[in-house]
Amino acid sequence: MRFYDPDGTEYGIPTYPRRLAPGGLATRRQLRAQGLRPGGQPVAAQILWHRYGQLRVAYLYRLDLAQPVRPMTPARWTAHEQMMRARRTCPDCRTQCEYVIPTSLGCCPHCADQPAHTDHDAIAA
């Protein structure tokens, strides 16, 4: 069976194909859904699979060593709000949008739709 290496002899750590990992292990997303975090523990195993021709990996952590997620303190909420405000502020027009500015545009859609100002415009004026 491909990617089945429970001893870790071939891949260095225990490796399983998708949906065949033993109980007691979870990915970061699965831990988070349960209100847990890895808590500094090392990776216990991994899941390998191919998707769109690329090798994908998901690391697994032991549930018995997982710790509860740290609660959000007022200072952490403030830092989070400042970070989100920066992601919603257009670097060109400095307006704050109600949504996160797309990284593909680099600015708000209104500024992205404006024709670029070139040196030819300055010379003609």
Side-chain angles (χ1 to χ4, degrees):
M1 183 178 292
R2 192 171 195 186
F3 301 133
Y4 187 74
D5 180 24
D7 301 328
T9 55
E10 185 176 347
Y11 297 101
I13 60 173
T15 304
Y16 303 96
R18 289 182 70 184
R19 298 185 179 91
L20 288 181
L25 299 175
T27 64
R28 283 183 178 270
R29 283 188 180 202
Q30 291 169 336
L31 288 174
R32 187 63 177 205
Q34 297 177 32
L36 300 171
R37 61 185 172 93
Q41 66 173 296
V43 173
Q46 66 183 353
I47 297 173
L48 292 178
W49 74 97
H50 279 287
R51 182 171 183 155
Y52 304 122
Q54 292 183 336
L55 184 64
R56 306 290 303 217
V57 63
Y59 297 114
L60 300 172
Y61 301 90
R62 291 178 43 184
L63 283 170
D64 59 340
L65 298 179
Q67 298 175 355
V69 174
R70 294 184 190 125
M72 288 292 280
T73 62
R76 289 178 75 189
W77 274 117
T78 302
H80 176 75
E81 290 168 359
Q82 290 174 350
M83 179 265 310
M84 292 306 295
R85 188 179 313 114
R87 293 181 66 194
R88 290 191 309 262
T89 304
C90 177
D92 294 342
C93 64
R94 306 304 300 167
T95 58
Q96 189 172 343
C97 303
E98 296 179 6
Y99 50 85
V100 175
I101 294 174
T103 56
S104 60
L105 297 178
C107 58
C108 68
H110 177 71
C111 290
D113 289 341
Q114 298 297 319
H117 297 290
T118 62
D119 291 337
H120 296 95
D121 295 336
I123 294 170

